[in-house]
Amino acid sequence: MFRTTIKVDTHGEGEIVDLTPRVVQAVAESGVREGLANVFVAGSTAAVTTIEYEPGVLSDLSRALSVIAPADIPYAHDAAWGDGNGRSHVRAAIVGPSLSVPVIAGALACGTWQQIVLLELDVRSRRERTVYVTITG
């Protein structure tokens, strides 16, 4: 097993960060040839998924999340805590905090147009996110 930590400074709700190069580097450093790479973001207002990292589909994803958990409706979380990020928690829970990608012949088994991304969903203007990459094989 090999584990590393990736720190990511984000700059507001809706930012999407391509983690793929850093996960590829972790796989190389691990020496694992056959196994799994698990990517997990700590925190309940960020998420990890795969997507084609191009402006059109990134915009489509942001729009879809705003339809699923809109900014202009009341959230019980906001009433309880007053921090205005109820939608952030809902969006993060729907997408999820982690994913696993097979490692085959020492490489991530992502598709040609498939990148691993961090979604910053919190309403705060800045966050430091901690992403754990664990490689087993």
Side-chain angles (χ1 to χ4, degrees):
M1 184 185 82
F2 174 88
R3 183 175 21 252
T4 190
T5 302
I6 300 170
K7 296 288 188 176
V8 179
D9 289 321
T10 62
H11 302 93
E13 181 180 20
E15 183 175 0
I16 302 173
V17 180
D18 184 1
L19 298 176
T20 311
R22 290 179 262 189
V23 178
V24 166
Q25 179 182 352
V27 170
E29 290 174 7
S30 76
V32 169
R33 304 282 304 147
E34 304 292 330
L36 281 176
N38 178 268
V39 181
F40 175 87
V41 61
S44 62
T45 56
V48 175
T49 191
T50 62
I51 197 164
E52 181 179 353
Y53 194 78
E54 68 84 19
V57 77
L58 298 179
S59 177
D60 294 340
L61 175 61
S62 295
R63 186 182 71 239
L65 289 173
S66 72
V67 169
I68 292 168
D72 61 351
I73 65 170
Y75 290 89
H77 174 81
D78 296 344
W81 296 96
D83 55 5
N85 70 354
R87 70 180 181 264
S88 308
H89 289 281
V90 171
R91 292 173 184 178
I94 289 168
V95 177
S98 68
L99 65 93
S100 292
V101 179
V103 174
I104 300 171
L108 290 173
C110 290
T112 302
W113 307 112
Q114 185 177 33
Q115 286 79 43
I116 299 167
V117 296
L118 168 74
L119 307 179
E120 178 54 74
L121 301 166
D122 206 323
V123 298
R124 295 184 203 173
S125 62
R126 278 187 58 107
R127 294 295 305 256
E128 180 183 68
R129 295 298 185 175
T130 302
V131 178
Y132 298 103
V133 180
T134 305
I135 308 193
T136 56

